[in-house]
Every structure is written in structure tokens, then in C-alpha cells.
Amino acid sequence: MKKLLLVIATLAVMPTAIAHDFDAGSIYIDHPMVEEAPPSARVLGGYVSLHNQGAEDDRLVAIESTAAEKVEMHRSVVTDGIARMTPLTDGIELPAGEMVWLGSDGTHAMFIGPDKRYFAGDEIPATLVFEKAGRIDVTFKVEERATTRAPGHGDHVQ
């Protein structure tokens, strides 16, 4: 009987422990994550799926975090075999009714000057700032470095 109660209690808590999404108004944010970095790294790469479920376009204009000196949105572009990062100073467009993955086309959040070394399982508080939806507090979960990424909760590592 005790084992059965333990299993039921574990299953009741599991969905909230596994769930890692946020929403405010028409914006749904799925699985914000940061890749664990080597000991000497001064930056962390962040990724997240953003779903604009509303009838109006919006734009992610900034990401803020007390866990880093600053956070910038970048796009990595490889030209002649050399990767260069370009800041996305105009933010990231979120067309109405569409999903945008900060992780596709070389896009990512760059947490510059993290306040400590973060390990898989740690969490980094942040605020996503949208042009219309406003400020949405989220938590980026730190995960082991992946070789490939794909959008969506549970599908982010292949």
C-alpha cells in the first residue's frame, strides 16, 4: 500500500516538475534552455520556442537576466568557413499565429558574463520583453551541451 501511495504521489507531482513552459496573453513560451558551457566560457547560449497565438504581430525586443552582465540576441552566420555573430538589435519578429524558434537559422540568446558557472540542472531567471505583450518572467533550464537542437519541449535534443 505504501508503494502504491508513493507511486501515485510521484505521478501527481511529475507533470509540474517536467513542464517548462510559460504564457502571458497571446504569447506561449516553450522550453527556455541554456547549454552548459566549459569552465572557462564567458558566455552561455540560450534557446526557446516562442508561439504568437494572437491576431497581431509582436516582437521580442530584449532578454534580461540578473544572472549575467547582459543578454543579447544574435544570429550566427558562416561565411567562407568562418562563423560570425551579428547582434539582432531590432529584436525578433513574431508573426501572428506563428511559432518562432530562437535556435533556428543560427539565432540564439547570448548570456554574456554569467555570474557563476552553471551546470546541467541549474536554472537561470530571465525576463523576455515583447513590444506588445510586455514583460514575461521565465526560467532558462541549464542542460547538457547537445550536438543538434530542434524546436519544442522534449524534442530540443536529437
Side-chain angles (χ1 to χ4, degrees), residues 7-132:
V7 169
I8 291 171
T10 302
L11 291 175
V13 173
M14 257 177 79
T16 56
I18 293 172
H20 188 215
D21 57 343
F22 307 84
D23 67 289
S26 64
I27 303 295
Y28 174 75
I29 300 160
D30 189 28
H31 201 80
M33 60 83 66
V34 167
E35 288 187 332
E36 184 178 48
S40 61
R42 294 287 305 140
V43 296
L44 300 168
Y47 308 91
V48 61
S49 293
L50 304 168
H51 304 256
N52 182 352
Q53 300 172 334
E56 290 185 68
D57 293 350
D58 205 339
R59 177 181 298 276
L60 176 64
V61 295
I63 301 174
E64 302 169 352
S65 178
T66 58
E69 292 172 15
K70 64 181 175 176
V71 183
E72 295 178 351
M73 292 177 282
H74 288 173
R75 174 172 279 124
S76 293
V77 178
V78 178
T79 307
D80 297 326
I82 299 171
R84 289 181 174 76
M85 280 188 264
T86 305
L88 299 172
T89 55
D90 291 335
I92 296 175
E93 183 84 24
L94 296 174
E98 306 238 349
M99 188 272 293
V100 174
W101 183 48
L102 190 56
S104 65
D105 297 331
T107 60
H108 58 279
M110 183 66 69
F111 288 76
I112 301 168
D115 61 349
K116 66 177 191 173
R117 179 159 184 225
Y118 287 92
F119 297 93
D122 289 342
E123 297 181 345
I124 298 175
T127 301
L128 304 184
V129 183
F130 295 89
E131 192 172 76
K132 295 178 182 161

